[in-house]
Amino acid sequence: MATSDFAKLPGFRDFPPEDFALRSHIQNSWRRVSRRYGFSEYDGPPLESLDLYVEKSGEEIVGQLYHFVDRGDREVALRPEMTPSLARILGDRSRGMSKPIRWFSMPQLFRYERQQRGRLREHFQWNVDIVGEGGVAADAEVVAVAIDGLRELGLGSADFAARVSDRRLLNALLRAVGVADDRMAAAFGVIDKIERIPDEKSAELLRADVGLDGAQIAMLRDVLGNTDLTALSEKFGDDEAVSSAVDRLREYVGMLSAMGLGDFVEIDLKIVRGLAYYTGIVFELFDRQGELRAICGGGRYDRLLELVGGEPLPAVGFGMGDVVLGELLDERGLVPEHAPELDYFMVPVTEAQRPETLRIAHVLRDRGHSVAYALRDQGVAKQMKAATREGAKTVLLLGPDELERGCIVARDMSTGQEVDVSLSELT
Ligand code: HAM
């Protein structure tokens, strides 16, 4: 059988060490930032009942599910997102827990997407959620975590921004434009894509699916172009739903400015989010050049926990994928150089020194040092080459004469300097 018969599936990645290094770099940063904000890590199973996603996640994700019937005749799906699992897990246990609950996770997720730049069929996604707090401070807190997750990796306000909107505000504005209540979901669907499709195409959809005429479409485009909260409240301030949503967004932006993160935040009413369960402030993080897909998306979802059968708790959170982020780090030269690293490489001069090599190596490993050596009899020159290849900081040479004197030779691989080290000192 040819090796190509076992080719990797499209949209899936291998992680040889040089690629795994970037994945760890990203995940270590995510974990550090989560802990800095007082979040605890959790996980769930990669396989869930299909029901968990149908209706709750929305059409787009359901169309992308990897699902099948298992041997026990259960309809199951690989998790395409973490939020329904979080709702399910908390549904069973949140009653006894003190609120707010601050949890984070870094699951691998699976979506049968058309493979394109920034979108694969599996990705790792940092999920950060606050459950049990309905106030706007929780919304500001989670977006601050997302922003700091990127700052931790070396990105700044010139590289990315959080584009923020509020579904309640958009609802009120769409109503003012003339969108009927039963067409609201269709309108959100078109707005979600509006930047990615040509104007004629979005106009056609707004006519056919949302029932708007030419004047209403022009008005809608004008509303969506608003990035200024003051202008919005001047135009639509009489509408109670608009003014309370605008006040909430002002408070939100004020909190982020107080944290020193004001430069990262923009109001953008075209952000609606593709998932069905959001109920309030929503946001996405994008690269400033506008070349890449969203790096991160999230928002408030106050009804999902109840829908999954748990305690009715308000919730807010986000998911940040590793794929677009990896591309952005690469473009900005922020991917750390991958080089193997080893504290010690041990070089027995002959096989007679192998037992002593093993003994010393083990003492050093017990102390937490990284140590390697050739696994077969080799000349010193060959072993030295291996030491360089493996990134050893120090080579320990074990020769018969030195061992006789109770010492070994330590060579500093950056300076080439050699010193005798006594065995008692070393072990
Ligand atoms: P989402 O917008 O579907 O939200 O995904 C969040 C992020 O995951 C995206 O911005 C993107 O970076 C990454 N992502 C999604 N699909 C793919 C893919 N096929 N390939 C690569 N990266 C991808 C959610 O999943 C929500 N559950 C997030 C959330 C958590 N909301 C509240 N809490």
Side-chain angles (χ1 to χ4, degrees):
M1 192 175 273
T3 47
S4 61
D5 289 341
F6 295 116
K8 191 158 53 77
L9 289 169
F12 285 78
R13 295 169 290 175
D14 291 328
F15 290 94
E18 59 277 19
D19 296 336
F20 195 87
L22 174 60
R23 180 172 136 193
S24 314
H25 175 62
I26 290 175
Q27 293 185 334
N28 292 341
S29 304
W30 287 347
R31 188 172 273 125
R32 276 197 302 277
V33 172
S34 308
R35 297 218 167 115
R36 244 176 247 163
Y37 279 79
F39 284 73
S40 305
E41 190 162 2
Y42 72 99
D43 201 356
L47 200 63
E48 292 270 16
S49 330
L50 179 62
D51 287 351
L52 189 61
Y53 306 108
V54 176
E55 285 172 33
K56 290 161 200 90
S57 293
E59 259 170 59
E60 192 176 339
I61 278 203
V62 171
Q64 297 169 340
L65 283 173
Y66 275 89
H67 65 98
F68 58 96
V69 178
D70 78 1
R71 287 166 195 250
D73 274 337
R74 295 173 202 93
E75 296 228 62
V76 294
L78 283 173
R79 59 186 176 191
E81 57 155 336
M82 196 60 179
T83 316
S85 297
L86 172 68
R88 181 184 60 67
I89 297 167
L90 286 176
D92 286 342
R93 55 194 310 142
S94 69
R95 282 196 166 78
M97 294 171 67
S98 62
K99 316 289 181 323
I101 298 161
R102 293 188 184 85
W103 277 13
F104 81 98
S105 188
M106 303 191 288
Q108 187 173 26
L109 305 178
F110 305 88
R111 298 183 189 181
Y112 197 85
E113 289 217 42
R114 196 167 55 79
Q115 203 186 325
Q116 50 190 304
R117 193 164 179 219
R119 288 290 176 269
L120 300 175
R121 291 184 175 162
E122 54 73 26
H123 69 284
F124 288 90
Q125 195 190 82
W126 183 29
N127 276 252
V128 172
D129 292 270
I130 297 181
V131 176
E133 175 51 60
V136 72
D139 295 77
E141 189 81 350
V142 294
V143 79
V145 178
I147 292 168
D148 278 354
L150 296 187
R151 288 180 60 236
E152 181 76 1
L153 288 158
L155 297 164
S157 60
D159 300 310
F160 75 93
R163 290 157 62 180
V164 181
S165 178
D166 187 325
R167 280 200 174 184
R168 289 160 293 197
L169 174 61
L170 198 59
N171 245 310
L173 292 171
L174 289 178
R175 215 169 278 137
V177 167
V179 176
D181 281 351
D182 62 348
R183 300 291 182 97
M184 222 36 109
F188 276 29
V190 181
I191 295 168
D192 188 39
K193 306 197 272 275
I194 208 158
E195 282 187 309
R196 281 180 276 146
I197 58 177
D199 281 0
E200 307 85 76
K201 176 81 189 152
S202 55
E204 193 187 306
L205 291 171
L206 288 168
R207 264 196 202 94
D209 297 355
V210 188
L212 298 185
D213 63 25
Q216 288 170 316
I217 293 172
M219 194 170 157
L220 175 65
R221 289 200 200 282
D222 181 51
V223 165
L224 294 177
N226 263 295
T227 53
D228 181 15
L229 290 176
T230 311
L232 261 183
S233 58
E234 272 164 17
K235 265 192 238 169
F236 299 94
D238 297 342
D239 186 326
E240 162 58 25
V242 172
S243 66
S244 68
V246 165
D247 288 348
R248 202 179 308 111
L249 275 177
R250 273 219 184 88
E251 206 183 338
Y252 174 89
V253 173
M255 287 178 185
L256 289 160
S257 300
M259 294 181 205
L261 300 176
D263 287 349
F264 290 90
V265 186
E266 287 173 3
I267 300 297
D268 185 342
L269 300 178
K270 294 185 291 303
I271 300 297
V272 295
R273 306 279 300 128
L275 295 159
Y277 46 67
Y278 293 107
T279 55
I281 293 181
V282 285
F283 67 93
E284 289 189 334
L285 266 52
F286 281 95
D287 69 297
R288 288 266 190 202
Q289 322 245 295
E291 284 170 359
L292 306 172
R293 298 288 299 264
I295 308 166
C296 167
R300 179 163 282 288
Y301 52 101
D302 284 348
R303 288 195 282 278
L304 185 63
L305 273 90
E306 191 177 9
L307 213 70
V308 172
E311 197 182 353
L313 287 174
V316 55
F318 68 80
M320 180 186 291
D322 66 334
V323 180
V324 179
L325 178 53
E327 286 172 3
L328 183 59
L329 293 176
D330 194 28
E331 275 184 9
R332 297 290 185 279
L334 291 169
V335 174
E337 190 86 27
H338 168 70
E341 254 189 338
L342 203 59
D343 295 332
Y344 296 105
F345 194 91
M346 318 232 0
V347 176
V349 173
T350 73
E351 271 304 276
Q353 289 83 49
R354 186 166 291 269
E356 192 58 0
T357 301
L358 298 180
R359 185 185 74 79
I360 297 170
H362 208 257
V363 171
L364 292 172
R365 284 173 178 155
D366 274 352
R367 293 205 189 133
H369 297 292
S370 52
V371 185
Y373 37 76
L375 294 172
R376 57 164 65 187
D377 189 11
Q378 278 181 340
V380 170
K382 215 165 186 179
Q383 295 186 65
M384 290 304 293
K385 263 197 198 141
T388 305
R389 211 173 39 238
E390 306 218 8
K393 291 189 204 115
T394 305
V395 164
L396 299 177
L397 269 152
L398 288 82
D401 301 343
E402 287 83 4
L403 283 180
E404 193 102 321
R405 284 192 281 115
C407 62
I408 58 177
V409 176
R411 174 189 288 196
D412 181 321
M413 293 296 275
S414 58
T415 63
Q417 214 170 35
E418 292 190 351
V419 287
D420 281 2
V421 182
S422 78
L423 283 183
S424 53
E425 193 185 315
L426 194 67
T427 63

